[in-house]
Amino acid sequence: MKVFTFQIALLPAVFTHTSFYGRFRHFLDIIDPRTLFVTERRLREAVQLLEDYKHGTLRPGVTNEQLWSAQKIKQAILHPDTNEKIFMPFRMSGYIPFGTPIVVGLLLPNQTLASTVFWQWLNQSHNACVNYANRNATKPSPASKFIQGYLGAVISAVSIAVGLNVLVQKANKFTPATRLLVQRFVPFPAVASANICNVVLMRYGELEEGIDVLDGDGNLVGSSKIAARHALLETALTRVVLPMPILVLPPIVMSMLEKTALLQARPRLLLPVQSLVCLAAFGLALPLAISLFPQMSEIETSQLEPEIARATSSRTVVYNKGL
């Protein structure tokens, strides 16, 4: 029987995953951008240290802090299902550094049709790759699924954003200042709607084939389509929550800061200040959103297919929800 090596029982958890606060502290580690600069040699050392711990061959003198540091590196860089490296811009630790410039672009005032299309396309292209790279990978996913999901997400985002912009521009009742403020909020419903399409379309293969569920010892119990639905629903909810602080707070903050004497006297500072505001909002939103649910989610076997319940004596099984 196949045994998966995801870190469900290798080390005592630094933070409990049963509480939101514990998951929040855990994911602050996972999204730490410093892990982007970990060398190949350091990664190999971290993986070997965890293997030695697992097999009881750990050399004397290794501390818990060293083990936790090694686990942080492995979880930030390697996919839990495949143990393969995730491409740097699509890791959760790369989401903020690589995603913040896109957010700044989405929130630029006085967007033209071309710029709206461009930034929505770039945003959903990045999201599609992040969703694919952090999916449940217990089943192979053909390139055609990636292309279908990518096209669906981009077309939905651009269509919604352009449609909302056209409606705002035709709203003659708005004053120019109000219209500008409303335009700044347009990216949120566009991105939130597209994010749902993105997750579902990028990971639709999981709904068709199911995802692997494991018992408490990490042994494969079976493949469940019901667990796949739970995984996609939870991930989609995180993608709706994620853009809320990112796309709602900066317009509010910037509308106040633009009235200050400093920015009115130095308009060239507007873009750098907006970039810092977006970076702060992104840094808050990402760990909050992905902490809503555990990555290794638990579900009772009675809620799954009958063949899953018959295949194990465990009352519950776990599955990789993805990030």
Side-chain angles (χ1 to χ4, degrees):
M1 183 170 287
K2 186 177 180 181
V3 177
F4 289 80
T5 56
F6 184 76
Q7 305 292 328
I8 31 183
L10 281 187
L11 290 176
V14 186
F15 309 109
T16 175
H17 289 215
T18 57
S19 69
F20 174 81
Y21 178 72
R23 294 192 297 272
F24 179 76
R25 293 292 304 274
H26 165 73
F27 282 118
L28 283 178
D29 270 352
I30 299 301
I31 69 170
D32 186 347
R34 291 176 297 179
T35 60
L36 295 172
F37 303 101
V38 171
T39 64
E40 188 71 29
R41 178 182 176 183
R42 178 71 185 96
L43 175 60
R44 287 197 302 267
E45 290 173 350
V47 171
Q48 187 58 53
L49 195 65
L50 293 172
E51 286 296 310
D52 292 344
Y53 177 87
K54 179 182 177 182
H55 295 106
T57 58
L58 202 60
R59 66 180 184 274
V62 176
T63 64
N64 281 341
E65 286 72 19
Q66 289 174 299
L67 289 169
W68 287 327
S69 176
Q71 183 164 269
K72 170 182 175 177
I73 290 171
K74 181 177 180 181
Q75 291 181 338
I77 298 175
L78 301 183
H79 193 285
D81 293 329
T82 64
N83 278 325
E84 295 177 356
K85 285 180 69 173
I86 299 174
F87 187 46
M88 188 183 294
F90 310 141
R91 299 173 195 166
M92 282 298 159
S93 55
Y95 209 166
I96 295 174
F98 289 95
T100 298
I102 299 174
V103 173
V104 174
L106 284 169
L107 294 175
L108 290 174
N110 299 315
Q111 295 267 15
T112 63
L113 177 62
S115 65
T116 298
V117 170
F118 171 76
W119 288 112
Q120 289 290 348
W121 164 77
L122 190 61
N123 181 54
Q124 288 306 321
S125 296
H126 185 231
N127 285 345
C129 292
V130 169
N131 288 336
Y132 184 80
N134 294 278
R135 71 195 187 284
N136 180 299
T138 55
K139 295 284 190 298
S141 179
S144 60
K145 295 293 183 184
F146 175 84
I147 295 171
Q148 289 172 12
Y150 172 76
L151 292 175
V154 170
I155 291 171
S156 64
V158 172
S159 300
I160 295 169
V162 171
L164 289 174
N165 270 324
V166 169
L167 286 175
V168 170
Q169 289 169 2
K170 290 185 176 181
N172 298 323
K173 295 180 180 179
F174 293 152
T175 64
T178 304
R179 186 178 301 159
L180 178 62
L181 184 62
V182 172
Q183 280 180 319
R184 282 181 163 176
F185 286 99
V186 163
F188 172 66
V191 170
S193 303
N195 282 355
I196 297 174
C197 297
N198 200 318
V199 169
V200 174
L201 293 172
M202 290 302 300
R203 296 177 56 179
Y204 188 74
E206 297 172 32
L207 294 175
E208 291 182 323
E209 300 182 21
I211 59 175
D212 290 348
V213 293
L214 318 174
D215 63 19
D217 297 322
N219 298 313
L220 176 63
V221 175
S223 184
S224 171
K225 294 181 181 180
I226 296 176
R229 289 203 299 268
H230 281 261
L232 262 65
L233 175 61
E234 291 171 351
T235 306
L237 287 174
T238 66
R239 293 303 192 271
V240 172
V241 173
L242 176 60
M244 283 183 185
I246 301 172
L247 298 178
V248 173
L249 289 180
I252 295 173
V253 173
M254 289 305 300
S255 65
M256 294 186 292
L257 291 179
E258 286 169 357
K259 298 174 183 177
T260 62
L262 176 64
L263 291 184
Q264 287 185 346
R266 297 175 177 82
R268 290 183 179 180
L269 293 177
L270 278 172
L271 187 58
V273 169
Q274 180 167 333
S275 300
L276 290 174
V277 171
C278 290
L279 181 63
F282 210 156
L284 171 67
L286 182 59
L288 285 175
I290 61 178
S291 299
L292 291 175
F293 306 99
Q295 181 171 3
M296 291 301 292
S297 292
E298 189 176 52
I299 188 170
E300 293 185 2
T301 54
S302 59
Q303 298 180 33
L304 301 178
E305 293 87 345
E307 58 269 24
I308 298 292
R310 291 194 298 266
T312 180
S313 58
S314 300
R315 190 177 64 85
T316 61
V317 291
V318 295
Y319 58 90
N320 176 20
K321 169 184 68 67
L323 287 177

